[in-house]
Amino acid sequence: MWYAIYALDNAGSLAARTTARPAHLARLNQLRDAGRLLLAGPFPAIDADDPGPAGFSGSLIVAEFPDLAAAQAWAEADPYRAANVYREVSVRPFRKVLP
């Protein structure tokens, strides 16, 4: 089943996000390579593709996991959690309808 992982960043976490990004992307690439990633990306803190020093306010990942517990465990092991980028993470079942 698909699960939506919705994360909100801590204020002032851009430097930590930048440092932890390679490890974060490596995990996402593993999901992609396994055919289990529907989408992933950050929320710019301002209305711009490149928010510059304003940074990001969070992230959204939609990926396939065997069950909710596995999705939650994967989300908790994210390098952004370890780097204190995320202040809050929620994981919810997601049903893809379109396209």
Side-chain angles (χ1 to χ4, degrees):
M1 179 168 200
W2 295 109
Y3 292 89
I5 300 167
Y6 179 81
L8 298 175
D9 285 13
N10 281 306
S13 63
L14 182 58
R17 178 184 267 273
T18 301
T19 300
R21 188 169 190 258
H24 172 78
L25 289 178
R27 295 178 81 233
L28 290 171
N29 286 329
Q30 289 174 347
L31 287 176
R32 181 202 61 206
D33 294 347
R36 295 174 44 209
L37 182 65
L38 184 63
L39 64 88
F43 299 117
I46 60 173
D47 189 13
D49 283 339
D50 181 358
F56 300 92
S57 62
S59 300
L60 175 64
I61 299 164
V62 179
E64 187 176 35
F65 294 94
D67 54 39
L68 181 59
Q72 290 171 327
W74 188 92
E76 283 302 314
D78 193 301
Y80 282 175
R81 286 296 267 178
N84 204 31
V85 173
Y86 293 153
R87 68 175 165 86
E88 182 180 331
V89 176
S90 65
V91 181
R92 297 183 180 126
F94 178 80
R95 193 176 117 204
K96 182 180 182 286
V97 175
L98 293 170

